[in-house]
Structure formats: structure tokens, C-alpha cells
């Protein structure tokens, strides 16, 4: 093992730690990998920045803009409305409709965009049918993941793997080469969800639900302060309006006599002026607190009373989406009044809450903010930094700012791009950028909106991580790992090797991003195929489906992270429901991939 390989493995190990821990964002981790490879001399500067000019990166950028154009014209919303009109009170039939439409849409539109638009639709279906929203959101995410894996333009991972394969001399995968395999997996998903999965996703009556009338158990974290002149001054927490109940519980009391000290409620004695209370409460109790003159909810660095009767406001739940400007920012550092025309009253993180101070909470993807203000998306930030998943005590029809007069044009452009790719008249890269140009020229989307709304995190993640594959090939690290794998599987059948690669990909994607998994494993898989004398295509396909269908955790795929909080799921829900499904897919992949792609 050479010094360069040891150095490369050190960089890879560091990247895996960062990807797994979430200490910094995945795109920044990818850029650190790129810079490290150049700084250590493993790659030349030209090789290091090659990810930015890679066809996968530029094609993904074009497809992201096309997806935003379709979203901007209301095409995805139209599918959501169709979904609502088709669903009924039969739970199994509703699930079939949800999964069919989400999978179909994700085959041609960015998967994250589809799920972001459909999450509020799931809440509307839950309210109208009485089906628990937890039963709907995981099937939505899983079906979208499989739909995206079923065409070459469905996900950025597919384009990345296709581009990596071509760089090693493999033939280019056509747009529908994956559809048969994806269709079989989707059929297995439907049967699994109808007969097994949906029953495991149901919540007991005593468990928290995101959709409720505000009378459920305490599930939001907020901070209140005892203002000057409050009737609660010198009163005990016990027996008063802040006494612990199922709906409201004081977690900590912060007192600023000399510095700042934190006390357990049982040790606080009597309340004092300017005491800050970290409170866990449900929506009903939060509304009571906002109307209680003896307390004030802290909404930013300054203290504001949220119940300003001169301004008509509404409570609504806002789900933080990918590419949001709020991610990784503390609540206290955001000027909500200026940029959003609304104030955060409370926060819910990933379906659970802790006892940290609300103002110190660092916002993450999938967090739910309970907001007080105008829930209609009138500002750029409120349209793109969150999606409103529930309005409280407001029953008017949701309004969306879409260019519906351009809907037919945007759909026609997408169909044209697909037709060019299917007929091989033009490569998907050229066809996609022609589509982007037409979208802008026909005003389906403006360049400004494209610049603002494109999920640049994906673009920089790809550009930063692609050079890692080059480094593995250049140093011989891929050959070293491949040789070890071959020794472990010597004397076995090609189907066993495919099975092992699929399983490794699925497990690795459960803890790091699927794109990073693909970059790590594709060079190794191609080396393995060369050493055992089998075609590399089945192993590449195994990586493609393994990376796109890892349902084990909410962190391996963005759509899982997006539904984690709104569905009030636990980490174990994904391990249980997604784990068995991954096992089924592993068996199917072991049997089908060698037969379909060898």
C-alpha cells in the first residue's frame, strides 16, 4: 500500500465521519474532499475541479431548472389535485393512488421537488379521509425514490453513475433502461405497503400526531418570559397556570440574576421578573400563552408580544425544506419580521423535541416551525424556505402563486426533452439545456427564479465528490479494495457478487449520501468485474438501485428527512418498515439484476 493510498483513505475516512455526523453540510464536505485531493497532490488542479464540468453535474443542473419550471407553472400541483380527487376512504386504495402518482412524477421531475409539493397534499388527504398522516408520508417518500430510480433523468444519482460508468468505458444507459427493474420494485413496494408497511406506520392514540386540533400532547418547544407586572411573579409553578400537564410542561427555568443560570422547575421555588421558561406545549396551550398578558413568547432577540390585535395574523406550521436559507442558522440570528412577515412561536425537530433554548436552536432540514403571521407565500423567502403543512383555525382554500397559463408549455417542453433522449436524436445533456432555454424564453420560469430556487447543494455536492472517483482510480485504491472483495467472494457466482454489492450500497447509503456512496463504489465495482471476468454493468446497476432505494434511515435520502418530522416518526420506524423492505429488495435484486442486465 503506497503513501498516496494511505493519504486517500484518510481523506475518505474523514469524509465518511463528516457525512455521518452531519457536523457540516454534505456539499461543504464534498468541497473539502475536492480541496484536500488537490492540496495533497493526489490530483492536479484540472483533475480536482473536473466535477464542475462533468456531464452529470451540468445535466443535473439543467434538470433541476426544468423541474422548477414545471413546479412554477403548477404542473406538480395539478398532479396533487388529481391525487386528492382520486383518493377515497379505503386506506389501501388511497395508498395505491399516492404511490402511483408520486412514482410517476418522480420519474421525470426532481424527486425532492415532488415530495415537497405533495407533503401538504398528504395532510389534506388525511383531514378529508381520517387516515393518519403517518401512514401516507413514508409511502410517498419511498415511492418517489423508486420512481426516480426508474429512469435515467429521475435522480442526480442515476446521471452521476451513468457518467462515471462512461468514463470507465461502459456504454451509456438510455432513459428507460432502468424502468423494467424499477417497475418490479415498485410493484413489490405497493404489495408490501398494503399488506404490511401501513399497519406498522400507524400511531397509537396516545402518541403525538402533527395533525390535530391543538388538543394533543405537548409536542412543541418554545420560550416564554415573565414580564414586568406579571401576576405570576412570586408565584409557584405548582398549582398555577404553568403547572405541568399532558398538554404543557416547563422543562427549564433560566434566571439572569448574576450571569445566567438554569434550574430544574422542581428547584426554582417562586418565579421572578424576567425569568425565562423553556416550555413544551401543544398548539392549544401555545395559543393560550400567546393571549396571556402575564407571559410573553420570545420570538427573536427583542421581546415581542405575538398577540398584536391591530394586525390580523394566523398560526401555521412551516416545514423547512432542502436548500432553505434557514438551515444551519440559529433562530435568534434570523430576522423573521423583515424576511418572512411571521414569527416563530415554537419548534419541533424531527418529530421529537429536547430541552434546549428555543433561540439557540439551529434549524435543520425537516424541522417544523410553528409560526404566527401571514401564511400565504407573499415573500420570496416564505415561498422557498419552507412549505406550509397546516394552518391553524384557518379554513380558506390554499392559494399558490403559479404561472398556470404556462402549464401546457412547460409540460410540452419536458416531453420534448424526453423524446429527444429516447430517440437518441440528441444527448440528454444537450436536450435538457435546450429545454431550459425554452422554459426561460417562454416565461415558464425566469432566470432570477431559477438562480434563487435551484438546489445548488446538489450541484456542489456532485462537483466536489466526483473527483474522488478519479483519485481512487489514479492511486490504485479501487484495485486494492476490489482485490480484497474478490478474495472474500472467490469461488462464488456472479449473482452472489451482485448481491454483496447491492447490500453494501444499501447499508452505506443509510449513513451517508447516495451520491457519495456511488462515487466510492462504482470504481471498485468495475475493478471487481474485471478481476472475476464478469461484465461490470450488473454491478453498476446494483449500485444504482441500492443507492436510490435505501429506506433504512431518514438521513440517507433527502425525501426521508423531509417526511421525518411531519409524520412524527421515530428513527426505529424507518429501521423496522424500511429495513424489511430493504431485505425484500435485496432478494429481488439478487435474483433479477443478473437476469436483466447480464
Amino acid at each position: 500500500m503506497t503513501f498516496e493510498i494511505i493519504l486517500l483513505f484518510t481523506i475518505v475516512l474523514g469524509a465518511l465521519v463528516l457525512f455521518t455526523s452531519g457536523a457540516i453540510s454534505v456539499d461543504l464536505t464534498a468541497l473539502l474532499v475536492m480541496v484536500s485531493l488537490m492540496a495533497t497532490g493526489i490530483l492536479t488542479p484540472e483533475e480536482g475541479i473536473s466535477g464542475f464540468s462533468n456531464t452529470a453535474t451540468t445535466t443535473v443542473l439543467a434538470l433541476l431548472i426544468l423541474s422548477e419550471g414545471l413546479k412554477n407553472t403548477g404542473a406538480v400541483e395539478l398532479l396533487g389535485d388529481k391525487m386528492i380527487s382520486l383518493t377515497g376512504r379505503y386506506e389501501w386504495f388511497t395508498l395505491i393512488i399516492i404511490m402511483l402518482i408520486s412514482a410517476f412524477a418522480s420519474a421525470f421531475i426532481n424527486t425532492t421537488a415532488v415530495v415537497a409539493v405533495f407533503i401538504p397534499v398528504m395532510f389534506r388527504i388525511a383531514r378529508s379521509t381520517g387516515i393518519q398522516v403517518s401512514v401516507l408520508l413514508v409511502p410517498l417518500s419511498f415511492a418517489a425514490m423508486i420512481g426516480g430510480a426508474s429512469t435515467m433523468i429521475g435522480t442526480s444519482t442515476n446521471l452521476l453513475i451513468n457518467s462515471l460508468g462512461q468514463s470507465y468505458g461502459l456504454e451509456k444507459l438510455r432513459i428507460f433502461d432502468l424502468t423494467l427493474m424499477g417497475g418490479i420494485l415498485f410493484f413489490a413496494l405497493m404489495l408490501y405497503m398494503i399488506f404490511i408497511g401501513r399497519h406498522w406506520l400507524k400511531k397509537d392514540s396516545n402518541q403525538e400526531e402533527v395533525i390535530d386540533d391543538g388538543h394533543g400532547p405537548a409536542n412543541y418547544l418554545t420560550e416564554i418570559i415573565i414580564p414586568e407586572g406579571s401576576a405570576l411573579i412570586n408565584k409557584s409553578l405548582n398549582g398555577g397556570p404553568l403547572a405541568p400537564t399532558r398538554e404543557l410542561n416547563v422543562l427549564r427555568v433560566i434566571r439572569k440574576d448574576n450571569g445566567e443560570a438554569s434550574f430544574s422547575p422542581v428547584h426554582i421555588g417562586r418565579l421572578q421578573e424576567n425569568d425565562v421558561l423553556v416550555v413544551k406545549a401543544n398548539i392549544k396551550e401555545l395559543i393560550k400563552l400567546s393571549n396571556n398578558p402575564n407571559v410573553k413568547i420570545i420570538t427573536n432577540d427583542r421581546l415581542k408580544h405575538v398577540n398584536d390585535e391591530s394586525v390580523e395574523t394566523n398560526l401555521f406550521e412551516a416545514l423547512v425544506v432542502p436548500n432553505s436559507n434557514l438551515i444551519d442558522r440559529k433562530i435568534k440570528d434570523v430576522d423573521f419580521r423583515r424576511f418572512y412577515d411571521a414569527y416563530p412561536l415554537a419548534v419541533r425537530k424531527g418529530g421529537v423535541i429536547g430541552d434546549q433554548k428555543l433561540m439557540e436552536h439551529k434549524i435543520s432540514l425537516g424541522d417544523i416551525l410553528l409560526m404566527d403571521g401571514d401564511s400565504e407565500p407573499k415573500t420570496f423567502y416564505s415561498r422557498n424556505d419552507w412549505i406550509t403543512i397546516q394552518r391553524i383555525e384557518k379554513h380558506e382554500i390554499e392559494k399558490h402563486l403559479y404561472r398556470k397559463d404556462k402549464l401546457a408549455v412547460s409540460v410540452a417542453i419536458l416531453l420534448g426533452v424526453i423524446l429527444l433522449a429516447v430517440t437518441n436524436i440528441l444527448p440528454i445533456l444537450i436536450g435538457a439545456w435546450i429545454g431550459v432555454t425554452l422554459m426561460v424564453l417562454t416565461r415558464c420560469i425566469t432566470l432570477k427564479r431559477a438562480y434563487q430556487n435551484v438546489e445548488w447543494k446538489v450541484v456542489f455536492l456532485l462537483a466536489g465528490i466526483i473527483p474522488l472517483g478519479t483519485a481512487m482510480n489514479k492511486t490504485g485504491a479501487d484495485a486494492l479494495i476490489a482485490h480484497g472483495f474478490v478474495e472474500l467472494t472467490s469461488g462464488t457466482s456472479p449473482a452472489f457478487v451482485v448481491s454483496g454489492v447491492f447490500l453494501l450500497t444499501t447499508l452505506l447509503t443509510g449513513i451517508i449520501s447516495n451520491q457519495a456512496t456511488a462515487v466510492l463504489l462504482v470504481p471498485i465495482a468495475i475493478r471487481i468485474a474485471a478481476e472475476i471476468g464478469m461484465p461490470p454493468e450488473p454491478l453498476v446497476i446494483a449500485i444504482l438501485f441500492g443507492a436510490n432505494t435505501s429506506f433504512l434511515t431518514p438521513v440517507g435520502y433527502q425525501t426521508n428527512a423531509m417526511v421525518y418530522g411531519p409524520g412524527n416518526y421515530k428513527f426505529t420506524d424507518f429501521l423496522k418498515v424500511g429495513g424489511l423492505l430493504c431485505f425484500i429488495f435485496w432478494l429481488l435484486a439478487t435474483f433479477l439484476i443478473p437476469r436483466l442486465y447480464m
Side-chain angles (χ1 to χ4, degrees):
M1 186 181 297
T2 66
F3 174 73
E4 272 195 335
I5 292 180
I6 295 174
L7 195 57
L8 176 60
F9 283 163
T10 303
I11 294 172
V12 171
L13 180 62
L16 290 176
V17 170
L18 291 175
F19 278 129
T20 306
S21 66
I24 60 176
S25 61
V26 292
D27 51 330
L28 181 55
T29 299
L31 291 178
L32 284 175
V33 170
M34 179 188 74
V35 171
S36 299
L37 293 173
M38 291 188 291
T40 55
I42 295 176
L43 295 181
T44 65
E46 292 76 14
E47 292 170 331
I49 64 171
S50 61
F52 286 99
S53 61
N54 188 279
T55 55
T57 306
T58 50
T59 304
V60 165
L61 177 57
L63 292 174
L64 288 173
I65 298 174
L66 286 174
S67 292
E68 188 59 37
L70 287 165
K71 182 180 175 183
N72 192 47
T73 59
V76 185
E77 184 201 39
L78 181 64
L79 284 174
D81 291 339
K82 179 61 67 175
M83 184 188 295
I84 291 175
S85 67
L86 292 174
T87 54
R89 294 194 174 274
Y90 292 106
E91 188 176 88
W92 62 270
F93 182 73
T94 299
L95 282 178
I96 289 176
I97 296 299
I98 289 171
M99 289 187 288
L100 280 172
I101 293 179
S102 61
F104 174 79
S106 296
F108 306 105
I109 305 172
N110 178 261
T111 304
T112 303
V114 170
V115 173
V117 172
F118 282 178
I119 284 176
V121 175
M122 296 303 103
F123 281 83
R124 290 164 62 187
I125 292 174
R127 283 193 289 267
S128 63
T129 62
I131 300 172
Q132 291 185 356
V133 75
S134 60
V135 177
L136 306 178
L137 288 176
V138 156
L140 168 70
S141 177
F142 287 5
M145 291 165 65
I146 295 175
S150 300
T151 67
M152 278 313 305
I153 63 172
T155 69
S156 58
T157 308
N158 293 4
L159 291 164
L160 173 60
I161 291 175
N162 198 18
S163 178
L164 290 173
Q166 289 180 71
S167 69
Y168 285 91
L170 274 63
E171 286 192 16
K172 179 178 69 174
L173 291 168
R174 295 169 298 179
I175 190 169
F176 292 120
D177 281 350
L178 310 170
T179 306
L180 178 58
M181 179 72 181
I184 295 172
L185 294 181
F186 176 74
F187 183 70
L189 170 71
M190 282 205 302
L191 292 179
Y192 173 77
M193 282 300 173
I194 290 170
F195 293 105
I196 300 175
R198 66 187 175 106
H199 302 293
W200 287 355
L201 291 170
K202 292 180 179 178
K203 302 291 181 181
D204 296 333
S205 57
N206 62 344
Q207 287 185 280
E208 300 173 4
E209 285 289 339
V210 175
I211 288 185
D212 59 30
D213 58 0
H215 294 72
N219 54 13
Y220 273 102
L221 183 76
T222 190
E223 282 180 84
I224 61 175
I225 190 167
I226 307 299
E228 180 181 359
S230 171
L232 295 177
I233 295 174
N234 293 323
K235 297 291 180 65
S236 170
L237 281 174
N238 296 324
L242 300 180
T245 65
R246 179 173 175 266
E247 292 79 22
L248 183 145
N249 189 27
V250 177
L251 303 177
R252 287 197 295 153
V253 179
I254 300 168
R255 184 163 289 169
K256 300 181 179 179
D257 287 339
N258 296 306
E260 182 177 288
S262 176
F263 301 91
S264 168
V266 296
H267 299 137
I268 195 60
R270 298 184 181 276
L271 294 171
Q272 297 180 9
E273 181 180 331
N274 293 325
D275 277 352
V276 175
L277 282 62
V278 180
V279 176
K280 185 171 70 171
N282 65 6
I283 293 173
K284 173 189 172 185
E285 293 300 323
L286 284 169
I287 293 173
K288 284 184 178 179
L289 291 173
S290 69
N291 291 320
N292 189 339
N294 295 307
V295 298
K296 289 184 178 180
I297 295 179
I298 302 174
T299 56
N300 59 13
D301 281 334
R302 295 182 294 123
L303 303 179
K304 303 183 188 300
H305 197 297
V306 298
N307 187 37
D308 183 359
E309 296 181 356
S310 64
V311 179
E312 183 179 354
T313 62
N314 299 282
L315 293 182
F316 62 99
E317 292 176 321
L319 170 67
V320 178
V321 298
N323 215 36
S324 170
N325 292 294
L326 292 172
I327 293 175
D328 291 333
R329 299 179 65 187
K330 291 184 178 180
I331 288 179
K332 69 176 183 179
D333 296 331
V334 180
D335 191 342
F336 283 90
R337 181 178 185 182
R338 176 182 176 189
F339 294 109
Y340 302 97
D341 198 24
Y343 304 109
L345 302 184
V347 65
R348 181 179 192 166
K349 180 177 177 60
V352 296
I353 58 175
D355 61 353
Q356 78 277 17
K357 291 180 64 177
L358 173 67
M359 293 299 104
E360 295 294 331
H361 173 73
K362 183 179 285 188
I363 301 170
S364 303
L365 169 65
D367 281 2
I368 301 173
L369 302 175
L370 183 65
M371 305 292 292
D372 184 20
D374 193 338
S375 61
E376 297 297 329
K378 291 183 178 179
T379 69
F380 160 73
Y381 296 97
S382 57
R383 285 199 304 268
N384 297 282
D385 286 351
W386 67 57
I387 53 176
T388 300
I389 59 174
Q390 184 179 198
R391 292 172 173 83
I392 312 301
E393 297 184 342
K394 182 178 181 182
H395 306 291
E396 68 180 38
I397 299 174
E398 298 182 11
K399 300 174 183 177
H400 300 281
L401 302 179
Y402 293 124
R403 290 295 307 274
K404 294 189 176 181
D405 57 317
K406 301 292 185 181
L407 192 153
V409 176
S410 67
V411 173
I413 291 172
L414 177 66
L415 292 177
V417 172
I418 295 171
L419 183 62
L420 289 173
V422 171
T423 57
N424 288 320
I425 295 174
L426 288 174
I428 183 64
L429 172 64
I430 300 174
W433 280 106
I434 289 175
V436 168
T437 305
L438 292 175
M439 283 272 192
V440 175
L441 289 175
T442 56
R443 308 295 294 175
C444 293
I445 188 173
T446 64
L447 281 175
K448 181 178 180 181
R449 186 177 179 92
Y451 295 149
Q452 292 171 335
N453 293 0
V454 164
E455 197 175 341
W456 292 102
K457 178 179 289 189
V458 175
V459 176
F460 279 92
L461 171 62
L462 292 178
I465 205 70
I466 283 173
L468 185 58
T470 304
M472 295 191 69
N473 179 253
K474 184 178 180 179
T475 59
D478 55 351
L480 181 66
I481 299 173
H483 183 69
F485 187 90
V486 170
E487 286 189 345
L488 288 174
T489 58
S490 60
T492 60
S493 66
F496 184 84
V497 177
V498 169
S499 178
V501 169
F502 183 91
L503 181 61
L504 176 62
T505 306
T506 300
L507 294 176
L508 197 56
T509 303
I511 56 175
I512 67 173
S513 75
N514 50 358
Q515 291 97 343
T517 300
V519 170
L520 285 172
L521 296 185
V522 167
I524 297 170
I526 292 174
R527 284 282 186 175
I528 291 172
E531 291 208 14
I532 64 176
M534 69 174 285
E537 285 79 8
L539 299 184
V540 173
I541 295 295
I543 293 172
L544 188 150
F545 279 103
N548 281 314
T549 59
S550 182
F551 313 116
L552 284 172
T553 71
V555 299
Y557 207 91
Q558 279 191 330
T559 57
N560 285 345
M562 291 171 66
V563 303
Y564 185 45
N568 194 35
Y569 298 115
K570 298 178 181 178
F571 198 90
T572 52
D573 290 331
F574 282 87
L575 286 177
K576 180 172 65 175
V577 179
L580 179 55
L581 185 59
C582 283
F583 178 75
I584 294 171
F585 276 25
W586 176 46
L587 296 179
L588 289 172
T590 301
F591 177 79
L592 291 172
I593 291 177
R595 287 162 176 79
L596 294 177
Y597 296 100
M598 283 188 68

